[in-house]
Amino acid sequence: MTDPFLLQARAIRKSFGGVEVLHGVDLDATGGSVLALLGENGAGKSTLVRILAGDHAPDSGEIVIDGEAHKALDPIAARALGVRMIFQELSDAPALTVAENISLGRWPGGRGLVRWKAVRERAVRALDELGVDIDPDAPVSTLRIGERQAVEIARAISDRARCLILDEPTAALSAQEVERLFAAVRRLRDRGTALIYITHRLDEVVEIADRVQVLRDGSVVLERDVAGTTRGELVSAMVGHAVGDVARPSDGGAAVADEPILAFSGAGSDGAFADVDLEVRPGEVVALYGKLGSGTAEVAETAFGLRQLDDGACTLKGEPHAPGSPERAIAAGVGLVPADRQREGTFMVRSVAENISVPSWKRLARHGILRRGNEARAYRRWHDELSIRSRNDPEQLISTLSGGNQQKVVLGRWLERESDVLVLIEPTRGVDVGARMEIYRVIRKLAADGMGVLVATSDYEEVVQLADRAAVMARGRIVGELGGDEITTERLTELAGG
């Protein structure tokens, strides 16, 4: 009997731009065991595993594999030592077959010739070892996301991976695909593979992991066996002192209407979400909270016509709402602030005045002609109201503003359009703390002025500071609803964990 594979990270430190993000972190991954690695966004999980996989070099510390110490690894050295990482973003070649993907970069043969029979045999062995039923001759482009992920794992197996790092592997999977993945993980564990499993979902920790380690602010704050560890202990370790720093919004005395302005009933869309019941009333901020892949963004996109319903119904002002396109949604009174501000929310080569007036051009035009003066007046209407920090020049390019001020311009767009409902997806992503507080103030004021506001976000602090009501989603379904003082970081994190 040989000793099981052992990967150890010892006193790993790493800085970016002068800011240290890992503060002397230790980690042990043992063959035949699954280590769940937890932590909120920015805790240092991704940096740590990328160091193990050779994508980053640590500033200090060492990586010990089977007793041999390494100051740093590169991707080739990590692979040679048996360490492989499966990223959230798949790195396959969709135009090639399953068998070709599994041998990608390691073609059997010689003298410029590929032994195609050996390519197929290798794929069959790896897929059988993983316990999945996938046609090795099928083009990868025809597979479901869970099957494509299995192909990547099979590629690692065929390359003699002894330590497999899985980064949020279930984020985009259906419940059935999750079960298949778990079965594969168990098979790998039982054959002696060491697995590091990154997840935000606490139910998965209990389901699949033997040990759990929690990072917070670049340090290890909890490490123990999963057996005997409570969900509450995991939540407290992940959230830590931040719990006391997050305050609920003060009651502005806004009158909330009795009837919803936007409502979903039994709504479902193309496997992205199902059975969603949700109401947004004039005068309130409703948050949809969940991690990446939970379905929150997809529900929000449906209200703006970017996605269609397959099941259930959506109503706006009591009437059926199936806009079919953003243009129709805007005409119906819905505005959207998308997650990717630069690519989806702004025209970066155009002025702030043009950006704020885009959906209002028809109203601002006279006899079909749009004059710059009308756009400039539209911008000035909202410059002070939204505290937009700029030169107060309507012709200033929006690309010259900070991220927070660009976001305020997008908010002003829907105020100028006099929208009834505002849908925001990750509204403060990439925005500094000061601008974030100002954006929260604006959103709360919009609700106080009678607008219905729906916020889809993966930031629990955002929900606590913004929402009158919160619906928590996991794997495409609402798993809990909270209101008022029930909305706490602990409850949000616990529910989002499944």
Side-chain angles (χ1 to χ4, degrees):
M1 289 286 291
T2 59
D3 292 333
F5 173 85
L6 178 62
L7 178 149
Q8 299 170 299
R10 289 290 174 260
I12 298 294
R13 292 183 177 274
K14 181 65 178 177
S15 298
F16 293 103
V19 177
E20 190 172 73
V21 296
L22 291 177
H23 314 303
V25 172
D26 293 342
L27 177 144
D28 290 350
T30 308
S33 177
V34 179
L35 171 67
L37 187 59
L38 306 183
E40 288 297 309
N41 294 335
K45 305 185 303 296
S46 294
T47 300
L48 176 59
V49 295
R50 284 179 177 273
I51 287 173
L52 300 179
D55 289 342
H56 296 320
D59 297 331
S60 63
E62 61 183 13
I63 303 163
V64 183
I65 297 179
D66 284 339
E68 183 180 353
H70 306 266
K71 289 298 182 184
L73 299 173
D74 58 40
I76 295 174
R79 286 179 60 169
L81 291 166
V83 181
R84 293 291 296 270
M85 183 166 176
I86 309 297
F87 295 96
Q88 280 189 59
E89 301 81 12
L90 297 176
S91 57
D92 55 18
L96 300 183
T97 68
V98 169
E100 290 166 342
N101 268 271
I102 289 173
S103 282
L104 203 58
R106 300 177 298 110
W107 304 106
R111 297 182 179 179
L113 299 176
V114 176
R115 292 168 42 226
W116 294 106
K117 183 179 179 181
V119 168
R120 196 178 191 282
E121 289 173 347
R122 175 188 284 172
V124 170
R125 281 195 305 272
L127 294 169
D128 285 347
E129 190 172 349
L130 196 57
V132 294
D133 183 17
I134 299 175
D135 181 2
D137 300 317
V140 163
S141 60
T142 65
L143 304 183
R144 297 187 300 271
I145 187 70
E147 293 172 324
R148 292 175 66 180
Q149 191 176 69
V151 171
E152 291 220 15
I153 296 174
R155 184 197 305 169
I157 290 173
S158 74
D159 199 21
R160 300 179 299 281
R162 298 192 296 159
C163 178
L164 197 60
I165 303 168
L166 300 172
D167 183 13
E168 293 281 358
T170 64
L173 302 188
S174 67
Q176 227 174 9
E177 289 172 326
V178 169
E179 288 306 314
R180 284 195 287 267
L181 173 68
F182 284 176
V185 168
R186 293 187 186 101
R187 288 173 71 102
L188 291 172
R189 178 193 62 193
D190 293 344
R191 66 186 282 272
T193 303
L195 294 114
I196 300 174
Y197 189 98
I198 300 175
T199 183
H200 282 290
R201 293 169 172 163
L202 303 186
D203 58 328
E204 295 183 353
V205 176
V206 177
E207 179 77 16
I208 201 67
D210 302 295
R211 293 185 303 116
V212 60
Q213 181 166 320
V214 179
L215 293 183
R216 188 176 71 237
D217 298 329
S219 298
V220 177
V221 294
L222 182 146
E223 183 181 4
R224 62 175 63 166
D225 290 340
V226 171
T229 302
T230 67
R231 181 184 296 251
E233 288 172 327
L234 295 177
V235 172
S236 296
M238 291 168 65
V239 176
H241 63 273
V243 172
D245 298 335
V246 183
R248 293 282 302 138
S250 60
D251 184 1
V256 179
D258 293 329
E259 296 299 320
I261 190 169
L262 176 69
F264 293 90
S265 177
S269 176
D270 193 26
F273 60 89
D275 297 326
V276 169
D277 294 321
L278 184 72
E279 294 183 345
V280 180
R281 295 176 176 83
E284 70 175 349
V285 178
V286 176
L288 270 174
Y289 171 72
K291 299 302 180 183
L292 178 68
S294 63
T296 57
E298 288 79 2
V299 173
E301 290 169 352
T302 302
F304 196 65
L306 293 171
R307 178 180 289 272
Q308 305 307 308
L309 291 181
D310 299 322
D311 298 301
C314 178
T315 60
L316 182 68
K317 305 174 200 173
E319 299 294 328
H321 180 61
S325 70
E327 182 180 16
R328 292 179 183 175
I330 292 169
V334 181
L336 175 74
V337 179
D340 192 333
R341 176 176 56 251
Q342 294 193 354
R343 290 198 301 174
E344 301 172 351
T346 55
F347 300 95
M348 297 298 285
V349 297
R350 312 300 283 182
S351 70
V352 288
E354 289 173 301
N355 271 275
I356 214 165
S357 59
V358 166
S360 304
W361 276 347
K362 287 185 179 179
R363 180 174 55 80
L364 294 174
R366 294 293 181 268
H367 308 296
I369 299 174
L370 181 65
R371 300 188 183 279
R372 290 187 181 275
N374 291 340
E375 288 184 324
R377 282 187 286 273
Y379 173 70
R380 290 198 173 100
R381 267 193 287 274
W382 305 109
H383 178 271
D384 293 338
E385 177 74 17
L386 299 177
S387 301
I388 299 172
R389 291 185 180 139
S390 69
R391 298 195 300 264
N392 198 10
D393 175 7
E395 296 302 312
Q396 183 177 356
L397 292 181
I398 194 170
S399 60
T400 64
L401 302 186
S402 69
N405 285 293
Q406 290 175 11
Q407 198 75 318
K408 292 178 192 176
V409 171
V410 179
L411 285 169
R413 172 184 299 168
W414 305 116
L415 290 170
E416 178 65 25
R417 185 64 177 74
E418 298 179 346
S419 299
D420 301 302
V421 175
L422 182 61
V423 178
L424 306 102
I425 305 175
E426 305 288 354
T428 57
R429 177 182 289 170
V431 171
D432 65 55
V433 174
R436 178 177 298 201
M437 293 301 108
E438 291 183 2
I439 290 171
Y440 291 166
R441 176 189 63 79
V442 172
I443 293 172
R444 293 295 312 173
K445 186 177 186 304
L446 294 179
D449 290 342
M451 186 180 284
V453 180
L454 176 63
V455 179
T457 179
S458 60
D459 186 335
Y460 60 78
E461 292 189 3
E462 192 152 85
V463 180
V464 172
Q465 294 179 84
L466 264 181
D468 299 297
R469 292 189 296 114
V472 182
M473 295 189 70
R475 297 190 185 128
R477 295 177 183 269
I478 292 178
V479 295
E481 296 190 33
L482 304 170
D485 291 336
E486 293 179 322
I487 305 174
T488 65
T489 53
E490 298 101 323
R491 289 291 289 135
L492 291 166
T493 306
E494 183 177 6
L495 287 169

